[in-house]
Amino acid sequence: MTSRKTVLVLGGSSDIGRAAARAFAKAGYDVGLAGRDIAALEPDAADLRARYNIEVGLHKFDALDTASFESFVGGLSALPDVVVSIVGLLGVQQNAESDFAHATTIMRSNYEGPSLILGLFAEKFLVRGNGTIVGVSSVAGDRGRASNYVYGSAKAGFSAFLSGLRARASRGGVHVVTVKPGFVRTKMTEGMKLIGPLTVEAPVVGDAILSAVEKKTDVVYVSGKWRLVMLIIKTLPEAVFKKLKF
Amino acid sequence: MTLVSGWGRFPVVDSDVLRPRSFEAVGEAVAGMAGSVARGNGRAYGDAAIGAVRTIGMTGFDRVRSFDPATGRVRLEAGVLLSDLIDTFGPRGFLPFVVPGTRFVSVGGAIAADVHGKNHHCEGGFGRYVDSILLRTGQGEILEVSREQNSDAFFATVGGMGLTGVILEATMRLRPVETGWIRERVISASDLDAAMRALDAGDAVTYSVAWIDCAARGRDLGRSLIYLGEHAGKDELARDAVAFPAGKNPGLSVPIDLPSMTLNRYSIRAFNELYYRMGARRAGGSHVVSLYPYFFPLDSIADWNRIYGRRGFLQHQCVIPEQGARAVLGEILDRVSRRGDASFLAVLKKLGQGDGILSFPLPGYTLALDFPLKGDILNFLDEIDRLVVAAGGRLYLAKDARQSRATFEAGYPALSRFNAIRKSLDPACNIRSKLSQRLFDEV
């Protein structure tokens, strides 16, 4: 047994998940990586062990299988100090407009699954009296855009869930962080046109997550520029906004 | 298709860029199209890491496979950057044996170019510390190559500019260090003779390099500052110093392409004068500096390649065999200083024998110069090349964007052996870069 702190990363095989795991591992945390495909997580676990000489555990987790959440949390050998959800799915907006199944998957992957699992951890953390919960949401949730509102609306729901959870849980010693990364160069955004000055690399997000946990920040826009951009976008009158090609 | 260029931003060419996520996908990317080459972090200056048709971005492969803290042996995916290795294993007491002038290069790229550092004269190049390489050949095989196993392919891959296949993983040895600090001694040399003498006298010192003021001429021709360095032990640090200083991300950056006016003979001369005088003031004694400014002085300015403007720049790095080097180097520096628009600083250092079949180093002196891409620079460099070839020297492929076939073939006499090995690994010549089309491939 170690006395080190532990972090559990849900969606551990994503680029941001890997980056977050590295940031925490570097800071001395033992790490749990959770994802659908355990075998796919093995190389990342080996990477963390080799780099930082820490304990790494692997856990099978499917964010769409909400029925398994209770047993997933119950099956952990110990409750982590920090749980981070990177789970999400960008999907294809155009398909989601006519394909119910695709829209449902996007909504469930970005809102239902992450909210329910973090809510479950929150209950356990509140009983224990401490813990940190991190949800990676998106600037896309700040205002629905014609080009990705299915994804954006689910992220908006997730952001609202986190903000409410934060208000409630803070009274019980549990801290909730909302992370809004903006454009990140990852698998998810490959092939998309990203605006250079507003785009960051995954490790920057990983470091921002660690720093938010340590400094007990509530809402993090990974690049400060996004806070300004979204402030402007949020304050545009609807009559103007709907005419913008955006 | 995407516009791709190297660090020198010349040439800029269209290439299909893929970022595979698995080794299987790398295989498909190579097999699917004749004319692909791997690219690491894009720090090769010219066209070495641009595929003839397709460029395979490898930086996503950045996992450490295993590390033995007792021996410092590490197995890595090829996309791991040296900066990452230093940040990760430095605090655990290990550094790469060889680092070039920037830490933002990938392990795969460092092997492919067999990069050299300030210690080449006594410790050799990057490839010397690589024990084995996992190679995906153009023919479709995945081969483990080492000095013992597939040794021809190993020595063709070290320094082989990615043309033997895609480097997927490597096992290498790291250097045990007590600290992340370097004990540095600066010597000021008033001319080229003094600079070469100082480098010769530094033969037994682990790290040595000379920064030449290439605006100086006449009696001052070749005046320079020689930086000698050794790893500092714990007992050499101030009591409150941390054993391993943190590497900062570049603080300054060049936000835009500077107008090409910015670099002219006056600004360069003024900069060099200042640099020389400031350095000369520190000359004599020895002091302890962090490894970052010592090894990577330019890394502290992000995007420094933009200083040379939108059209980019050319780096000319040659090596001249020891015998007769003084005369040729003097002639080159004289022509450069008369021309007036050369780089801020030229770098002169000694090299030893290279390890790979196409490795750049040979025992002698290497001189690196930057030139903004304008005017008759291509013709000027062709003339310099003639001096290099006549002296039995060669140019560094990782920095080249323009040398002729004749210059290349004269400088690399082992080329036919390399080509034979390349052909055996990849008969259909699926692996091709813009550089190989320019210099190697049968026309």
Side-chain angles (χ1 to χ4, degrees), chain B residues 31-73:
Chain B
M33 192 175 291
S36 49
V37 84
R39 179 182 179 93
N41 206 30
R43 292 292 170 129
Y45 284 62
D47 51 4
I50 306 173
V53 183
R54 172 177 282 177
T55 304
I56 305 170
M58 295 294 289
T59 48
F61 295 100
D62 65 348
R63 294 179 189 86
V64 178
R65 295 291 202 188
S66 63
F67 172 68
D68 180 350
T71 61
R73 258 168 81 102

Short mmCIF file of all heavy atoms in Angstrom, two decimals, chain B residues 31-73:
data_model
loop_
_atom_site.label_atom_id
_atom_site.label_comp_id
_atom_site.label_asym_id
_atom_site.label_seq_id
_atom_site.Cartn_x
_atom_site.Cartn_y
_atom_site.Cartn_z
N ALA B 31 2.35 1.18 -47.21
CA ALA B 31 2.06 0.26 -48.31
C ALA B 31 1.08 0.87 -49.29
O ALA B 31 1.12 0.60 -50.48
CB ALA B 31 1.49 -1.05 -47.75
N GLY B 32 0.21 1.71 -48.78
CA GLY B 32 -0.89 2.21 -49.61
C GLY B 32 -0.45 3.15 -50.70
O GLY B 32 -1.20 3.40 -51.63
N MET B 33 0.75 3.69 -50.59
CA MET B 33 1.13 4.68 -51.58
C MET B 33 2.65 4.69 -51.75
O MET B 33 3.37 4.76 -50.77
CB MET B 33 0.65 6.04 -51.11
CG MET B 33 0.75 7.10 -52.18
SD MET B 33 0.02 8.64 -51.61
CE MET B 33 -1.71 8.20 -51.55
N ALA B 34 3.09 4.58 -52.96
CA ALA B 34 4.53 4.65 -53.20
C ALA B 34 4.97 6.08 -52.95
O ALA B 34 4.40 7.02 -53.50
CB ALA B 34 4.84 4.24 -54.63
N GLY B 35 5.97 6.24 -52.11
CA GLY B 35 6.51 7.58 -51.93
C GLY B 35 6.16 8.22 -50.62
O GLY B 35 5.69 9.35 -50.59
N SER B 36 6.37 7.49 -49.51
CA SER B 36 6.09 8.10 -48.22
C SER B 36 7.34 8.08 -47.35
O SER B 36 8.23 7.26 -47.53
CB SER B 36 4.94 7.38 -47.53
OG SER B 36 5.16 6.00 -47.55
N VAL B 37 7.37 8.99 -46.39
CA VAL B 37 8.48 9.00 -45.43
C VAL B 37 7.93 9.47 -44.09
O VAL B 37 6.93 10.20 -44.03
CB VAL B 37 9.63 9.89 -45.92
CG1 VAL B 37 9.42 11.36 -45.58
CG2 VAL B 37 10.97 9.41 -45.35
N ALA B 38 8.58 9.02 -43.01
CA ALA B 38 8.16 9.43 -41.67
C ALA B 38 8.66 10.82 -41.36
O ALA B 38 9.71 11.25 -41.84
CB ALA B 38 8.68 8.43 -40.64
N ARG B 39 7.91 11.52 -40.52
CA ARG B 39 8.29 12.85 -40.06
C ARG B 39 8.11 12.89 -38.55
O ARG B 39 7.09 12.46 -38.03
CB ARG B 39 7.37 13.88 -40.72
CG ARG B 39 7.63 15.35 -40.32
CD ARG B 39 6.59 16.22 -41.02
NE ARG B 39 6.71 17.63 -40.72
CZ ARG B 39 7.39 18.52 -41.43
NH1 ARG B 39 8.08 18.10 -42.49
NH2 ARG B 39 7.42 19.79 -41.10
N GLY B 40 9.11 13.40 -37.86
CA GLY B 40 9.00 13.54 -36.41
C GLY B 40 8.43 14.90 -36.08
O GLY B 40 7.30 15.23 -36.45
N ASN B 41 9.22 15.73 -35.43
CA ASN B 41 8.71 17.04 -35.01
C ASN B 41 9.02 18.14 -36.01
O ASN B 41 8.88 19.32 -35.69
CB ASN B 41 9.26 17.40 -33.62
CG ASN B 41 8.35 18.34 -32.88
OD1 ASN B 41 7.13 18.32 -33.06
ND2 ASN B 41 8.93 19.18 -32.04
N GLY B 42 9.45 17.77 -37.22
CA GLY B 42 9.61 18.78 -38.27
C GLY B 42 10.78 19.73 -38.07
O GLY B 42 10.72 20.85 -38.55
N ARG B 43 11.85 19.27 -37.39
CA ARG B 43 12.98 20.17 -37.17
C ARG B 43 14.10 19.99 -38.19
O ARG B 43 15.09 20.71 -38.14
CB ARG B 43 13.52 20.03 -35.76
CG ARG B 43 12.55 20.53 -34.69
CD ARG B 43 12.39 22.03 -34.78
NE ARG B 43 11.30 22.51 -33.94
CZ ARG B 43 11.42 23.51 -33.05
NH1 ARG B 43 12.55 24.14 -32.92
NH2 ARG B 43 10.39 23.88 -32.35
N ALA B 44 13.96 19.02 -39.08
CA ALA B 44 14.90 18.97 -40.20
C ALA B 44 14.67 20.24 -41.02
O ALA B 44 13.53 20.64 -41.24
CB ALA B 44 14.67 17.73 -41.04
N TYR B 45 15.74 20.85 -41.47
CA TYR B 45 15.59 22.18 -42.08
C TYR B 45 14.98 22.16 -43.47
O TYR B 45 14.24 23.05 -43.84
CB TYR B 45 16.98 22.86 -42.15
CG TYR B 45 17.44 23.39 -40.82
CD1 TYR B 45 17.66 22.53 -39.75
CD2 TYR B 45 17.67 24.74 -40.63
CE1 TYR B 45 18.08 23.01 -38.53
CE2 TYR B 45 18.11 25.24 -39.41
CZ TYR B 45 18.31 24.37 -38.36
OH TYR B 45 18.72 24.85 -37.16
N GLY B 46 15.32 21.16 -44.26
CA GLY B 46 14.93 21.19 -45.66
C GLY B 46 13.81 20.21 -45.98
O GLY B 46 12.74 20.25 -45.39
N ASP B 47 14.10 19.29 -46.92
CA ASP B 47 13.05 18.42 -47.45
C ASP B 47 13.21 16.97 -47.03
O ASP B 47 12.63 16.08 -47.63
CB ASP B 47 13.02 18.53 -48.98
CG ASP B 47 14.41 18.33 -49.59
OD1 ASP B 47 15.36 18.03 -48.83
OD2 ASP B 47 14.54 18.46 -50.82
N ALA B 48 13.99 16.72 -45.96
CA ALA B 48 14.27 15.34 -45.56
C ALA B 48 13.03 14.63 -45.01
O ALA B 48 12.86 13.43 -45.19
CB ALA B 48 15.38 15.30 -44.52
N ALA B 49 12.16 15.38 -44.33
CA ALA B 49 11.01 14.73 -43.67
C ALA B 49 9.71 15.08 -44.37
O ALA B 49 8.67 15.23 -43.73
CB ALA B 49 10.98 15.11 -42.19
N ILE B 50 9.77 15.21 -45.67
CA ILE B 50 8.56 15.42 -46.46
C ILE B 50 8.49 14.28 -47.46
O ILE B 50 9.43 14.07 -48.23
CB ILE B 50 8.60 16.77 -47.21
CG1 ILE B 50 8.87 17.92 -46.23
CG2 ILE B 50 7.30 16.99 -47.98
CD1 ILE B 50 9.09 19.26 -46.92
N GLY B 51 7.39 13.54 -47.44
CA GLY B 51 7.26 12.41 -48.34
C GLY B 51 7.10 12.86 -49.78
O GLY B 51 6.54 13.93 -50.04
N ALA B 52 7.60 12.03 -50.69
CA ALA B 52 7.44 12.34 -52.10
C ALA B 52 5.97 12.55 -52.42
O ALA B 52 5.60 13.44 -53.19
CB ALA B 52 8.02 11.21 -52.95
N VAL B 53 5.12 11.71 -51.80
CA VAL B 53 3.68 11.85 -52.00
C VAL B 53 2.98 12.01 -50.66
O VAL B 53 2.08 12.83 -50.50
CB VAL B 53 3.11 10.60 -52.72
CG1 VAL B 53 1.62 10.80 -52.99
CG2 VAL B 53 3.86 10.32 -54.00
N ARG B 54 3.44 11.25 -49.67
CA ARG B 54 2.75 11.18 -48.39
C ARG B 54 3.74 11.31 -47.23
O ARG B 54 4.81 10.70 -47.25
CB ARG B 54 2.01 9.85 -48.30
CG ARG B 54 1.42 9.56 -46.95
CD ARG B 54 0.65 8.25 -47.00
NE ARG B 54 -0.64 8.42 -47.63
CZ ARG B 54 -1.49 7.42 -47.86
NH1 ARG B 54 -1.15 6.18 -47.55
NH2 ARG B 54 -2.66 7.65 -48.41
N THR B 55 3.35 12.09 -46.24
CA THR B 55 4.20 12.29 -45.07
C THR B 55 3.51 11.68 -43.85
O THR B 55 2.32 11.92 -43.64
CB THR B 55 4.42 13.80 -44.84
OG1 THR B 55 4.97 14.36 -46.04
CG2 THR B 55 5.36 14.05 -43.68
N ILE B 56 4.26 10.87 -43.12
CA ILE B 56 3.65 10.13 -42.01
C ILE B 56 4.08 10.75 -40.69
O ILE B 56 5.22 10.58 -40.25
CB ILE B 56 4.05 8.65 -42.08
CG1 ILE B 56 3.68 8.10 -43.46
CG2 ILE B 56 3.37 7.86 -40.98
CD1 ILE B 56 4.25 6.73 -43.72
N GLY B 57 3.19 11.50 -40.08
CA GLY B 57 3.49 12.19 -38.82
C GLY B 57 3.57 11.18 -37.68
O GLY B 57 2.66 10.39 -37.47
N MET B 58 4.66 11.20 -36.94
CA MET B 58 4.92 10.17 -35.93
C MET B 58 4.85 10.69 -34.49
O MET B 58 5.08 9.92 -33.56
CB MET B 58 6.31 9.56 -36.18
CG MET B 58 6.43 8.81 -37.49
SD MET B 58 5.39 7.33 -37.55
CE MET B 58 6.28 6.27 -36.39
N THR B 59 4.55 11.98 -34.28
CA THR B 59 4.65 12.50 -32.92
C THR B 59 3.58 11.93 -31.98
O THR B 59 3.73 12.03 -30.77
CB THR B 59 4.56 14.04 -32.90
OG1 THR B 59 3.46 14.43 -33.70
CG2 THR B 59 5.84 14.67 -33.43
N GLY B 60 2.53 11.32 -32.54
CA GLY B 60 1.54 10.68 -31.68
C GLY B 60 2.09 9.45 -30.97
O GLY B 60 1.55 9.01 -29.95
N PHE B 61 3.16 8.88 -31.50
CA PHE B 61 3.77 7.70 -30.86
C PHE B 61 4.79 8.19 -29.84
O PHE B 61 5.98 8.31 -30.14
CB PHE B 61 4.45 6.81 -31.91
CG PHE B 61 3.47 6.21 -32.89
CD1 PHE B 61 3.31 6.76 -34.16
CD2 PHE B 61 2.71 5.12 -32.54
CE1 PHE B 61 2.39 6.21 -35.05
CE2 PHE B 61 1.79 4.56 -33.42
CZ PHE B 61 1.63 5.12 -34.69
N ASP B 62 4.30 8.51 -28.65
CA ASP B 62 5.19 9.16 -27.69
C ASP B 62 5.22 8.41 -26.36
O ASP B 62 5.38 9.01 -25.31
CB ASP B 62 4.75 10.61 -27.48
CG ASP B 62 3.38 10.71 -26.83
OD1 ASP B 62 2.68 9.66 -26.75
OD2 ASP B 62 3.00 11.80 -26.39
N ARG B 63 5.08 7.08 -26.44
CA ARG B 63 5.08 6.31 -25.18
C ARG B 63 6.47 5.76 -24.87
O ARG B 63 7.19 5.33 -25.76
CB ARG B 63 4.11 5.15 -25.27
CG ARG B 63 2.66 5.57 -25.38
CD ARG B 63 1.76 4.36 -25.49
NE ARG B 63 0.40 4.74 -25.80
CZ ARG B 63 -0.04 4.95 -27.05
NH1 ARG B 63 0.79 4.83 -28.08
NH2 ARG B 63 -1.28 5.29 -27.25
N VAL B 64 6.75 5.76 -23.59
CA VAL B 64 7.93 5.04 -23.11
C VAL B 64 7.47 3.61 -22.88
O VAL B 64 6.46 3.38 -22.21
CB VAL B 64 8.45 5.65 -21.80
CG1 VAL B 64 9.64 4.87 -21.28
CG2 VAL B 64 8.83 7.12 -22.02
N ARG B 65 8.18 2.64 -23.42
CA ARG B 65 7.78 1.24 -23.25
C ARG B 65 8.31 0.66 -21.95
O ARG B 65 7.61 -0.04 -21.25
CB ARG B 65 8.31 0.40 -24.43
CG ARG B 65 7.71 0.76 -25.76
CD ARG B 65 6.26 0.36 -25.79
NE ARG B 65 5.80 0.19 -27.15
CZ ARG B 65 4.54 -0.01 -27.47
NH1 ARG B 65 3.63 -0.07 -26.52
NH2 ARG B 65 4.18 -0.15 -28.72
N SER B 66 9.56 0.94 -21.68
CA SER B 66 10.15 0.42 -20.44
C SER B 66 11.38 1.23 -20.09
O SER B 66 11.99 1.85 -20.97
CB SER B 66 10.52 -1.06 -20.60
OG SER B 66 11.51 -1.19 -21.60
N PHE B 67 11.71 1.22 -18.82
CA PHE B 67 12.90 1.95 -18.37
C PHE B 67 13.52 1.16 -17.23
O PHE B 67 12.82 0.70 -16.32
CB PHE B 67 12.49 3.35 -17.89
CG PHE B 67 13.61 4.11 -17.23
CD1 PHE B 67 14.70 4.53 -17.98
CD2 PHE B 67 13.58 4.39 -15.87
CE1 PHE B 67 15.75 5.23 -17.38
CE2 PHE B 67 14.62 5.08 -15.27
CZ PHE B 67 15.71 5.51 -16.03
N ASP B 68 14.83 0.98 -17.31
CA ASP B 68 15.54 0.29 -16.23
C ASP B 68 16.37 1.32 -15.46
O ASP B 68 17.40 1.79 -15.97
CB ASP B 68 16.45 -0.80 -16.83
CG ASP B 68 17.21 -1.54 -15.74
OD1 ASP B 68 17.16 -1.10 -14.57
OD2 ASP B 68 17.85 -2.56 -16.06
N PRO B 69 15.91 1.68 -14.26
CA PRO B 69 16.61 2.74 -13.52
C PRO B 69 18.01 2.32 -13.07
O PRO B 69 18.81 3.17 -12.70
CB PRO B 69 15.70 3.00 -12.31
CG PRO B 69 14.84 1.80 -12.19
CD PRO B 69 14.74 1.17 -13.55
N ALA B 70 18.31 1.02 -13.14
CA ALA B 70 19.65 0.58 -12.73
C ALA B 70 20.66 0.86 -13.84
O ALA B 70 21.80 1.25 -13.58
CB ALA B 70 19.63 -0.91 -12.39
N THR B 71 20.24 0.69 -15.10
CA THR B 71 21.20 0.83 -16.20
C THR B 71 20.94 2.05 -17.07
O THR B 71 21.79 2.43 -17.86
CB THR B 71 21.12 -0.41 -17.12
OG1 THR B 71 19.77 -0.46 -17.65
CG2 THR B 71 21.42 -1.69 -16.37
N GLY B 72 19.75 2.63 -16.97
CA GLY B 72 19.42 3.76 -17.83
C GLY B 72 19.03 3.34 -19.23
O GLY B 72 18.99 4.16 -20.15
N ARG B 73 18.74 2.05 -19.41
CA ARG B 73 18.26 1.62 -20.73
C ARG B 73 16.77 1.90 -20.84
O ARG B 73 16.00 1.60 -19.93
CB ARG B 73 18.50 0.12 -20.92
CG ARG B 73 19.70 -0.20 -21.79
CD ARG B 73 19.99 -1.65 -21.66
NE ARG B 73 19.11 -2.44 -22.51
CZ ARG B 73 19.49 -2.94 -23.67
NH1 ARG B 73 20.71 -2.74 -24.12
NH2 ARG B 73 18.66 -3.65 -24.40
#
